[in-house]
Amino acid sequence: MTNYRIALMSALALLAGVVSAADTPALPRYVQAPAGSSLTFIFDQAGAASKGAFKKFTTELRYDEKTPAAGSLNVEVEIASVDTQDKERDEMLAGADLFDAQKFPDAQYVASSFARRADGTLESVGKLTLRGVTHDLRLPLKITRTATGLELSGEAAIKRLAYGVGQGDFQSTESVGDEVRLQYKVALVKAP
C-alpha cells in the first residue's frame, strides 16, 4: 500500500469519527451551585458516632434522564477543608497519619457511567481516589429536579484503611472505626 493510500484511509477514518461524534448529542452538563450543597461523613470514634464535613468541593454532572447509562459524574474535594467542629481534631485528620492533606490535597471521584439498580434507583459506576489510592466505588444516586436545576443525593460506606487513611496508631480500629459513611446532597445548576 502506498503512503498516499494510507494517508487517505487515515483521513477517511478520522472524518468518520468526527461525523459519528457530531451525530451523538452531548448530555446536558450541570455544575455545583454556589450554595446549598453538603458532603458529610460519619465515623466511630471511641465508641461514639462523630460527624464531619468537607466545606470545599466541586461537582460536575452530565445527565439526561432518558439516557442515564451515558451519564458521568466528577467530584473534587479539598481535603484541608475538613470540619468536625473541633479544631484539634481537624488538624489531626488533615495530618500525615490520616488524610495527609499536605501530600494529597485533593480527593476525586470520577464515574463514567450510571447503572440502574434492582430497586429502580441509579448508581454511579466510578473510582474514588483518596490519599493517592484508587478503588472502584459505586455510589447510590437520587437525582431530582428542582426549580433551579437538579439535586443529587445519596449515602454510601467506605473503609478508610483501604485508602490508607490510618497510619501509625490509627491503623488500629480500637479508637477510630474502619467504616466511614458518606452522605451527600448537591445542588446543581445547568451549565451555559
Side-chain angles (χ1 to χ4, degrees), residues 3 5 19-21 28 37-38 47 55 58 62 67 74 78 81 95 111-112 123 134 137 139 153 169 175 181:
N3 287 342
R5 288 184 70 196
V19 169
S20 174
S37 298
S38 63
K55 296 296 186 181
T58 60
R62 290 190 180 269
T67 56
N74 188 336
E78 186 179 310
S81 73
S112 55
E123 68 181 359
T134 302
L137 181 63
L139 290 180
S153 60
D169 291 343
S175 61
R181 283 184 297 144

Side-chain angles (χ1 to χ4, degrees), residues 20-91:
S20 174
D23 290 343
T24 306
L27 292 180
R29 179 175 165 258
Y30 297 87
V31 294
Q32 187 172 319
S37 298
S38 63
L39 175 57
T40 61
F41 58 95
I42 300 167
F43 60 101
D44 184 70
Q45 182 180 16
S50 297
K51 191 171 186 176
F54 290 101
K55 296 296 186 181
K56 294 182 181 177
F57 64 99
T58 60
T59 307
E60 180 181 305
L61 173 72
R62 290 190 180 269
Y63 175 74
D64 184 333
E65 58 195 20
K66 295 174 187 165
T67 56
S72 66
L73 176 64
N74 188 336
V75 181
E76 300 254 350
V77 181
E78 186 179 310
I79 295 298
S81 73
V82 66
D83 182 7
T84 63
Q85 305 295 309
D86 180 327
K87 186 178 181 201
E88 187 176 320
R89 183 169 50 191
D90 295 346
E91 289 171 358

Side-chain angles (χ1 to χ4, degrees), residues 112-176:
S112 55
S113 67
F114 299 150
R116 188 73 63 187
R117 297 170 67 166
D119 65 1
T121 61
L122 286 178
E123 68 181 359
S124 60
V125 180
K127 294 182 181 294
L128 173 64
T129 301
L130 176 61
R131 209 179 190 279
V133 178
T134 302
H135 289 294
D136 292 337
L137 181 63
R138 290 176 168 266
L139 290 180
L141 299 179
K142 181 179 179 186
I143 300 174
T144 52
R145 292 218 169 269
T146 66
T148 57
L150 297 176
E151 180 183 271
L152 180 151
S153 60
E155 183 174 334
I158 64 170
K159 302 287 187 180
R160 67 177 177 88
L161 293 174
Y163 293 91
V165 179
Q167 303 295 309
D169 291 343
F170 292 104
Q171 286 182 327
S172 169
T173 57
E174 287 181 26
S175 61
V176 180

